[in-house]
Amino acid sequence: VLDEADRMLDMGFLPDIKRILAALPAERQTMLFSATMSPRIRALAEEILRDPEMVTVDRQKPASGIEQSVYLVAQDRKTPLLTKLLQREGMDSVLVFVRRKADADRLARAVRRAGVEATSIHADRSQEERFAALEDFRTGRCPVLVATDVAARGLDIDGISHVINFDVPY
């Protein structure tokens, strides 16, 4: 199973994928999953799959009841704006995405200084630290979780009231 094939190619893992596939038996079932179907992904699929079935899912719209807002603000005003927004009523369980690991820690500290409990999660934190941060967020002990894209996939947390892209996602 090759999951997130588009990301694997973006991150330069094609030689590793080919090395793994060369070590596998010729008679096998191979599944390739990708969010995009770029020419590079198509070429990879043609090379490694036999009689593939293609399943596509239409682009999804936000679920009904989801409200989206955009705030155009200068870089130096983003943190003060975020801390003001987090102090509003109803900001009970807020997931904030940033681009860089250092920004996750820095922003979580700034939010705490503004009087709102916050923690961070990113690839440089140990598995125990990530688990503790997620548990604090999940249970409500910490209403704000600042995260890199390490949290963008695979998190299953009920009751998130707001998702904020502090930085424009890649």
Side-chain angles (χ1 to χ4, degrees):
V1 175
L2 299 172
D3 193 12
E4 309 279 353
D6 52 334
R7 294 285 293 143
M8 286 193 277
L9 290 180
D10 290 344
M11 297 170 72
F13 288 118
L14 183 58
D16 300 303
I17 293 169
K18 288 185 175 184
R19 206 169 21 260
I20 291 168
L21 292 171
L24 296 174
E27 190 64 31
R28 67 176 186 266
Q29 180 180 17
T30 304
M31 292 181 272
L32 182 145
F33 298 92
S34 178
T36 63
M37 198 43 95
S38 69
R40 289 176 65 206
I41 295 292
R42 281 190 197 280
L44 177 63
E46 288 172 12
E47 183 178 336
I48 66 171
L49 302 177
R50 193 175 34 234
D51 299 323
E53 293 289 329
M54 183 180 218
V55 177
T56 57
V57 178
D58 290 336
R59 291 181 185 240
Q60 292 182 329
K61 296 178 184 170
S64 63
I66 301 293
E67 188 177 309
Q68 297 186 57
S69 301
V70 175
Y71 294 86
L72 300 176
V73 62
Q75 185 68 31
D76 64 326
R77 305 282 320 231
K78 286 169 68 171
T79 301
L81 173 62
L82 177 67
T83 57
K84 285 285 188 205
L85 291 173
L86 292 174
Q87 293 169 351
R88 288 183 173 175
E89 189 174 319
M91 300 295 268
D92 304 317
S93 181
V94 183
L95 180 55
V96 180
F97 284 107
V98 295
R99 265 197 222 121
R100 297 180 7 212
K101 296 175 273 193
D103 293 338
D105 291 333
R106 181 195 56 75
L107 190 58
R109 280 192 304 273
V111 168
R112 284 193 302 272
R113 280 193 305 272
V116 178
E117 197 56 41
T119 189
S120 64
I121 183 172
H122 53 75
D124 280 355
R125 296 196 74 189
S126 70
Q127 190 59 41
E128 294 81 24
E129 290 171 320
R130 290 186 209 183
F131 180 77
L134 284 172
E135 197 57 26
D136 286 348
F137 183 61
R138 185 176 279 116
T139 61
R141 284 190 297 265
C142 193
V144 177
L145 177 64
V146 182
T148 61
D149 62 359
V150 76
R153 302 170 193 254
L155 283 189
D156 184 16
I157 300 173
D158 290 331
I160 294 177
S161 63
H162 295 78
V163 175
I164 297 174
N165 285 312
F166 186 80
D167 295 317
V168 176
Y170 289 114

